[in-house]
């Protein structure tokens, strides 16, 4: 998993009024927890572009007034109307302590069912995993080269070394749905087979 560096400064004043004032100045109130102490700090909103507005999942080297901590984004709050970033929660990564994080889910290979006219449907964009930071990959990839029409892959079909997938094992994550074109193709192949037998 890639890292991104972010710098911030400790908040001198804490409260709703101060938070609003700080946001008007382009600063985002943040909190860091999970370690020995909780820290309330401010980060310039522009710094979050490389962290939040990307499909990649990254951990953070967080520099707060010269003290650097490894962390992950645990939660974000956005304004319901303007969609502006309001607040970010960071979880400190402690050596030897597993973390839970959502990482992108991708597929690889060519599905025989799709070649027959079926429609590939990815039902999730991310999967929740738990493990040590050094074992967490940039994405989870499922091989679909054996998927025919009406066949699917569930969470429980995946296995990743040193990681636990937290999502429900029976949850379908990718499926090849039949389409009208696929049904017609299958019927056509059946008729040809019957004629050959005759």
């Amino acid at each position: 998993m890639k890292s991104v560096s972010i710098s911030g400064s400790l908040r001198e004043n804490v409260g709703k009024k101060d938070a609003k004032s700080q946001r008007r100045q382009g600063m985002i109130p943040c909190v860091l927890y999970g370690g020995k102490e909780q820290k309330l700090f401010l980060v310039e909103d522009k710094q979050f572009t490389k962290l939040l507005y990307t499909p990649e999942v990254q951990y953070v080297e967080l520099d707060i007034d010269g003290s650097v901590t490894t962390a992950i984004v645990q939660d974000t709050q956005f304004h319901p109307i303007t969609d502006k970033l309001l607040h970010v929660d960071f979880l400190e990564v402690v050596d030897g302590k597993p973390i839970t994080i959502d990482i992108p889910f991708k597929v690889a290979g060519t599905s025989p069912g799709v070649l027959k006219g079926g429609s590939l449907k990815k039902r999730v964009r991310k999967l929740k995993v738990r493990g040590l930071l050094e074992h967490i990959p940039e994405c989870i990839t499922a091989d679909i080269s054996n998927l025919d029409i009406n066949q699917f892959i569930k969470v429980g079909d995946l296995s990743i070394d040193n990681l636990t997938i937290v999502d429900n094992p029976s949850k379908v994550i990718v499926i090849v749905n039949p389409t009208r074109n696929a049904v017609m193709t299958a019927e056509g192949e059946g008729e040809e087979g019957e004629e050959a037998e005759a």
Side-chain angles (χ1 to χ4, degrees):
M1 195 162 59
K2 296 176 182 176
S3 67
V4 60
S5 297
I6 284 180
S7 58
S9 56
L10 290 171
R11 287 176 68 179
E12 296 179 2
N13 301 309
V14 179
K16 288 187 177 181
K17 277 189 175 181
D18 290 299
K20 284 185 178 180
S21 173
Q22 289 153 355
R23 290 186 191 107
R24 282 196 295 269
Q25 296 172 45
M27 305 299 289
I28 304 299
C30 304
V31 62
L32 172 69
Y33 55 84
K36 291 182 179 179
E37 60 177 324
Q38 180 174 289
K39 293 182 179 180
L40 301 174
F41 59 102
L42 297 169
V43 173
E44 189 179 12
D45 58 0
K46 294 176 183 177
Q47 293 193 62
F48 286 106
T49 302
K50 56 190 175 184
L51 177 64
L52 300 180
Y53 306 103
T54 170
E56 295 181 326
V57 176
Q58 304 168 102
Y59 69 92
V60 181
E61 293 296 346
L62 191 56
D63 183 337
I64 305 173
D65 290 339
S67 176
V68 180
T69 303
T70 301
I72 60 170
V73 173
Q74 190 73 1
D75 193 22
T76 53
Q77 295 175 28
F78 292 88
H79 193 284
I81 298 173
T82 64
D83 209 32
K84 282 189 176 181
L85 183 62
L86 299 178
H87 193 274
V88 179
D89 290 2
F90 288 93
L91 175 68
E92 183 174 340
V93 176
V94 179
D95 286 343
K97 187 175 180 180
I99 58 173
T100 301
I101 190 171
D102 291 330
I103 60 175
F105 169 65
K106 298 180 179 180
V107 296
T110 303
S111 160
V114 171
L115 293 176
K116 294 175 183 176
S119 171
L120 184 73
K121 177 70 174 176
K122 265 178 63 180
R123 292 191 171 176
V124 298
R125 289 190 300 170
K126 292 184 177 181
L127 290 170
K128 191 179 293 294
V129 302
R130 183 170 176 79
L132 298 178
L133 179 65
E134 59 263 31
H135 294 148
I136 294 177
E138 293 182 14
C139 67
I140 293 177
T141 303
D143 183 5
I144 59 169
S145 56
N146 291 321
L147 277 192
D148 211 331
I149 293 172
N150 286 322
Q151 292 185 334
F152 52 82
I153 296 173
K154 297 183 295 185
V155 169
D157 297 326
L158 301 176
S159 178
I160 307 163
D161 292 341
N162 302 309
L163 280 186
T164 300
I165 302 178
V166 181
D167 292 272
N168 188 334
S170 63
K171 184 177 184 179
V172 174
I173 52 178
V174 61
I175 186 171
V176 179
N177 290 320
T179 61
R180 187 175 179 182
N181 184 41
V183 172
M184 289 174 65
T185 301
E187 289 176 350
E189 289 174 353
E191 288 171 3
E192 287 176 9
E194 289 170 8
E195 287 174 6
E197 289 174 9

